[in-house]
C-alpha cells in the first residue's frame, strides 16, 4: 500500500508540480483531445464527461473509485497547492492530532448562502438550500449556523486526509451532488455549468463541521517551493468583512416571486418527492 498520494487536477497545459506523491491528473479528458499527462480521469469508474459541471471533483471521484491502495489521499490544483509539501516521511507527523487538512479560512462579508446566490443563479441556490434543509433536518442547527450564521469557508476543494475518511466523505458528498444534478435545470453558461463545483466548495468544510473533525489549516500557494500565496487576506480585510457581516447579516430568504416560480416549474415537488421516496425506501 502506498503511504500518500496527492492528485493535482490539471485541465490545460501548464507547469505542474510532480513527484512520487504529487500526481497530475487530466480532468475532463473525456471532452478533450489534448494529452496533458499520463493519468487521466476518463479511465475506470469515472465521471470525466461531467467535468464542466463538477470541475476538479472529477479527479476526486476518480480517486474514490480507482485508488484503493493508499493510506492518505489529497487533492490540489495545477496552480494551487498547500504551502507545506507532504511526503511519505512527514505525513504521519502532520496528521498526528488532526483528521483532515484544509485550506485556511477565507472570510466573506456575508453568509455562505448569500455569497452563493450572488455568484450563481439565485434559484439554483434556493434549491440547494431547500434540499439541504431536508437532508439535514436532524442537524438543522448545524446547517443553519454554517450556512447562515457565519461568514467563512475553507476554499478550493483542497484537502488531505486518511483514505477511509475520504471514502466516507465522497459517499456523502456525491450522493448530494448527484441528487442536485438531477433536480436543478442545467445552465448553458460557463459559470452556471460549474454549479456542482461551487456547492462542493462549501460541502467539504460543512462536512468537517458536521462530523466534528479536527481540522488543520494550511495556506495555499501558486506553486510548491515559492511563497506566492493565493486566496489570502490581510488582517484588515478579515476584520472589515467580519464587521460588515456582524452589522448586516440576515438569514437566507427565498423571495415570494422565486418561490412561486420554483413551484410552477415543479422543482419544489421534485425535492419533496425525492425525500418522500427516500423515507419510503428506509421504512
Amino acid at each position: 500500500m502506498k503511504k500518500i498520494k496527492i492528485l493535482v487536477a490539471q485541465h490545460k497545459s501548464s507547469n505542474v508540480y510532480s513527484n512520487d506523491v504529487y500526481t497530475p491528473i487530466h480532468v475532463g479528458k473525456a471532452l478533450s483531445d489534448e494529452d496533458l499527462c499520463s493519468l487521466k480521469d476518463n479511465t475506470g469508474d469515472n465521471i470525466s464527461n461531467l467535468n464542466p459541471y463538477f470541475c476538479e471533483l472529477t479527479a476526486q471521484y476518480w480517486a474514490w473509485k480507482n485508488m484503493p491502495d493508499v493510506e492518505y489521499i489529497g487533492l490540489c490544483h495545477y496552480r494551487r497547492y498547500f504551502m507545506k509539501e507532504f511526503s511519505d516521511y512527514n505525513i504521519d507527523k502532520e496528521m498526528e492530532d488532526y483528521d483532515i487538512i484544509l485550506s485556511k479560512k477565507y472570510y466573506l462579508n456575508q453568509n455562505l448562502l448569500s455569497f452563493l446566490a450572488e455568484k450563481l443563479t439565485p434559484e439554483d441556490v434556493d434549491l440547494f438550500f431547500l434540499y439541504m434543509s431536508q437532508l439535514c433536518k436532524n442537524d438543522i442547527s448545524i446547517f443553519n449556523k454554517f450556512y447562515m450564521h457565519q461568514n467563512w469557508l475553507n476554499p478550493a476543494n483542497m484537502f488531505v486526509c486518511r483514505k477511509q475518511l475520504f471514502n466516507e466523505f465522497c459517499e456523502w458528498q456525491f450522493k448530494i451532488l448527484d441528487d442536485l444534478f438531477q433536480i436543478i435545470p442545467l445552465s448553458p453558461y460557463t459559470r452556471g455549468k460549474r454549479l456542482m463545483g461551487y456547492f462542493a466548495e462549501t460541502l467539504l468544510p460543512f462536512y468537517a463541521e458536521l462530523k466534528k473533525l479536527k481540522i488543520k489549516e494550511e495556506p495555499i500557494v501558486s506553486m510548491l517551493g515559492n511563497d506566492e500565496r493565493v486566496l489570502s487576506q490581510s488582517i484588515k480585510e478579515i476584520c472589515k468583512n467580519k464587521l460588515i457581516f456582524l452589522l448586516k447579516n440576515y438569514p437566507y430568504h427565498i423571495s415570494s416571486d422565486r418561490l412561486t416560480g420554483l413551484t410552477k416549474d415543479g422543482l419544489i415537488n421534485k425535492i419533496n418527492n425525492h425525500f418522500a421516496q427516500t423515507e419510503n425506501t428506509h421504512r
Side-chain angles (χ1 to χ4, degrees):
M1 176 183 288
K2 296 186 187 308
K3 188 72 174 178
I4 178 173
K5 184 65 70 175
I6 298 178
L7 295 183
V8 184
Q10 180 183 7
H11 72 275
K12 65 180 182 180
S13 182
S14 182
N15 181 32
V16 179
Y17 192 84
S18 175
N19 60 21
D20 288 342
V21 170
Y22 290 80
T23 304
I25 179 170
H26 186 166
V27 294
K29 174 56 182 172
L31 305 173
S32 172
D33 293 328
E34 290 187 89
D35 192 17
L36 300 180
C37 51
S38 59
L39 186 61
K40 310 169 197 315
D41 72 348
N42 66 334
T43 61
D45 188 348
N46 72 86
I47 55 170
S48 178
N49 63 308
L50 298 181
N51 181 260
Y53 306 97
F54 285 75
C55 307
E56 64 276 355
L57 297 185
T58 59
Q60 182 182 316
Y61 184 94
W62 186 92
W64 176 36
K65 296 296 185 178
N66 300 289
M67 288 187 66
D69 298 325
V70 64
E71 187 175 349
Y72 294 95
I73 185 77
L75 179 66
C76 60
H77 307 253
Y78 73 105
R79 290 187 300 180
R80 292 177 182 174
Y81 304 81
F82 290 116
M83 179 177 282
K84 169 77 70 174
E85 180 175 355
F86 301 107
S87 70
D88 291 346
Y89 306 103
N90 69 5
I91 189 61
D92 285 330
K93 183 66 175 177
E94 293 293 333
M95 298 293 297
E96 191 171 24
D97 298 315
Y98 301 96
D99 299 309
I100 192 167
I101 296 171
L102 299 176
S103 60
K104 286 186 72 67
K105 286 187 182 71
Y106 191 91
Y107 288 89
L108 310 166
N109 61 12
Q110 57 194 319
N111 64 51
L112 283 185
L113 289 171
S114 298
F115 169 74
L116 288 172
E118 190 175 271
K119 294 289 184 182
L120 304 167
T121 302
E123 286 84 351
D124 292 346
V125 181
D126 294 340
L127 293 170
F128 173 78
F129 169 67
L130 293 169
Y131 173 94
M132 291 298 294
S133 294
Q134 289 206 48
L135 179 73
C136 300
K137 61 184 178 182
N138 294 329
D139 297 296
I140 196 64
S141 62
I142 301 174
F143 173 78
N144 288 340
K145 177 179 181 292
F146 186 84
Y147 279 96
M148 286 192 280
H149 302 307
Q150 61 188 35
N151 67 320
W152 56 263
L153 78 160
N154 304 91
N157 283 321
M158 291 171 55
F159 62 87
V160 178
C161 64
R162 288 189 178 273
K163 184 61 160 55
Q164 181 178 348
L165 174 59
F166 171 73
N167 289 343
E168 292 167 358
F169 168 65
C170 286
E171 188 79 40
W172 178 86
Q173 184 192 53
F174 281 108
K175 176 63 169 65
I176 292 170
L177 296 178
D178 182 61
D179 288 347
L180 292 170
F181 194 69
Q182 303 304 320
I183 292 167
I184 299 175
L186 300 181
S187 170
Y189 302 110
T190 300
R191 188 172 65 171
K193 279 185 176 180
R194 298 173 62 197
L195 186 64
M196 300 303 149
Y198 277 104
F199 288 158
E201 194 171 20
T202 71
L203 288 172
L204 176 56
F206 175 57
Y207 184 82
E209 288 265 309
L210 194 63
K211 299 299 181 180
K212 297 180 172 59
L213 301 182
K214 296 177 181 176
I215 301 169
K216 183 174 189 176
E217 296 187 358
E218 287 287 339
I220 299 175
V221 294
S222 60
M223 174 58 71
L224 278 166
N226 67 36
D227 296 326
E228 184 187 343
R229 296 194 184 191
V230 294
L231 298 176
S232 63
Q233 294 174 293
S234 67
I235 297 297
K236 181 179 179 181
E237 182 182 1
I238 292 171
C239 292
K240 178 183 176 182
N241 285 349
K242 284 183 176 181
L243 181 60
I244 294 172
F245 173 76
L246 288 173
L247 293 174
K248 297 185 178 180
N249 185 53
Y250 52 88
Y252 187 73
H253 174 69
I254 303 177
S255 64
S256 58
D257 61 324
R258 296 208 308 264
L259 190 60
T260 299
L262 293 172
T263 302
K264 285 184 176 180
D265 291 339
L267 297 170
I268 303 294
N269 277 341
K270 265 192 172 185
I271 293 175
N272 292 337
N273 290 339
H274 168 78
F275 284 101
Q277 291 171 8
T278 301
E279 289 180 6
N280 289 334
T281 301
H282 291 118
R283 282 178 182 172

